[in-house]
Amino acid sequence: MHIGIPAETRAGETRVAATPETVKKLVAKGLHTVLVQAGAGINASIPDSAYQEAGAVIISGASQLYEQSQIILKVRGPEASELVHMKKDAILIGLLAPHLAEEIEIVARHGVTAFAMEKLPRISRAQSMDVLSSQANIGGYKAVILAANVYQRFFPMLMTAAGTVKAARMLILGAGVAGLQAIATAKRLGAVIEAFDVRPAVKEQVESLGAKFVEVPLTDEEKAKAETAGGYAAEMSEDYKRRQSNLIHERAAAADIIITTALIPGRPAPILISEETVKAMKPGSVIVDMAVEAGGNCPLSELGKTVVKHGVHLVGIANLPGLVATDASALYARNLLNFLNLILDTQTGELKIDREDEIVKGSLVCTAGEIIGKS
């Protein structure tokens, strides 16, 4: 099987879908040939020579790579200029943005079989392939580092001969993978942390990392609806949103740094920090809006920019995992390798796509020109 690793073409994408580690494992039994486009790993600090040493074949151009590859591994979905060179019966695996119907329709029309890694079911067997978790983990870490860089004071409390410096107060909105890593990273830096999430079930995890869990009192009906079957935070009622807004406004006014991570798959990010709340924050405070690509948890955030509004620094840098490209690529590549092991026969190297398998069925978005299900 010929497995192709093209260079990413989307603006700002620095990650790569395979590393020398995963290439070495793919070619180990002599069943597969891995083709890597020249320069594909440069932005992740992986030179072509490292891929060659691992057993990959370096291909100079994207068109040649696509024309020779039966399986394509990517970070982001292909653009039109890439699709035209792809084989009609190729297998495409990556972060394909399945909630964007037009993107999937374009891929489907080309005839390829595509697997969107965002749609993996949240089951224990799929954990080793869970790209959303591996990348969110990195994003949560980097969000805190960005906040520390922008914030013009210390994170930890310091007692010096010149006086005492108070610890920074941080509020983290959303206690999923990104939020929990943000808590852990901020704790290491010495901040005092509060965290909010609509899901009462995450309280224990938040507190185990040393943060105080801030919660809106829920009715029994609201508790049952707070979490989706996939483990994500769910859309809540208007009455709940009003109570949530009041609580967040109060805690935000006391915070020095806010990191927002709230996302609802396939929908615009919920507004958690209103302009009135920003106005109530201390001068010099920082908001890192990790949901900026989905519209932002704060309407004042600007995609790809760090701006100051009402005296507050708003960090709207997208693709935070891409700022830690080497490690982000390493984790992402392992996720894809584990997925490949599911659809390739370990003895013959041939495709064995079992559409009854829960993971395969859940991630398949199109095949033979047909769109499978809806995101």
Side-chain angles (χ1 to χ4, degrees), residues 84-336:
V84 295
H85 299 293
M86 202 175 294
K87 289 183 176 182
K88 298 292 183 182
D89 59 350
I91 305 293
L92 172 65
I93 304 170
L95 291 167
L96 307 182
H99 59 284
L100 300 177
E102 290 183 6
E103 297 272 342
I104 299 302
E105 286 173 6
I106 292 171
V107 173
R109 282 199 299 269
H110 193 70
V112 304
T113 295
F115 293 93
M117 298 302 287
E118 300 98 316
K119 295 195 70 177
L120 284 174
R122 307 272 291 191
I123 58 176
S124 58
R125 194 164 61 90
Q127 286 181 353
S128 65
M129 313 168 199
D130 189 351
V131 299
L132 292 183
S133 291
S134 72
Q135 301 305 292
N137 200 26
I138 293 172
Y141 159 81
K142 192 61 178 182
V144 175
I145 302 304
L146 285 175
N149 188 53
V150 173
Y151 187 54
Q152 296 177 7
R153 300 180 182 180
F154 286 113
F155 265 42
M157 182 183 76
L158 295 178
M159 299 180 70
T160 75
T164 300
V165 177
K166 292 183 178 179
R169 301 187 65 85
M170 180 175 287
L171 174 64
I172 295 173
L173 302 179
V177 174
L180 292 173
Q181 180 56 249
I183 291 170
T185 303
K187 188 68 177 177
R188 294 185 191 105
L189 293 177
V192 175
I193 311 156
E194 292 183 331
F196 167 83
D197 197 288
V198 301
R199 300 164 295 174
V202 303
K203 179 178 180 179
E204 185 177 340
Q205 293 173 284
V206 165
E207 293 178 341
S208 71
L209 292 170
K212 178 183 177 182
F213 188 63
V214 179
E215 56 188 320
V216 177
L218 297 174
T219 64
D220 290 341
E221 183 181 0
E222 287 172 335
K223 286 180 182 178
K225 295 180 178 179
E227 187 171 342
T228 68
Y232 296 101
E235 183 85 14
M236 301 297 283
S237 69
E238 291 304 316
D239 180 60
Y240 175 88
K241 290 178 183 177
R242 177 186 56 77
R243 288 179 281 139
Q244 170 187 282
S245 179
N246 291 339
L247 176 66
I248 290 176
H249 181 87
E250 173 192 331
R251 301 320 307 154
D256 300 303
I257 297 157
I258 300 176
I259 293 178
T260 71
T261 72
L263 288 167
I264 299 173
R267 303 188 62 177
I271 299 298
L272 301 181
I273 305 292
S274 67
E275 183 168 5
E276 290 304 310
T277 297
V278 174
K279 289 179 179 179
M281 294 176 67
K282 306 170 192 174
S285 297
V286 177
I287 298 174
V288 179
D289 193 341
M290 291 186 65
V292 69
E293 286 185 277
N297 295 140
C298 178
L300 301 184
S301 300
E302 296 186 23
L303 180 61
K305 298 180 181 179
T306 297
V307 296
V308 179
K309 298 182 180 179
H310 305 300
V312 175
H313 299 265
L314 292 113
V315 181
I317 306 302
N319 188 17
L320 296 186
L323 299 180
V324 194
T326 303
D327 282 337
S329 297
L331 297 182
Y332 183 78
R334 291 172 196 155
N335 292 147
L336 294 194

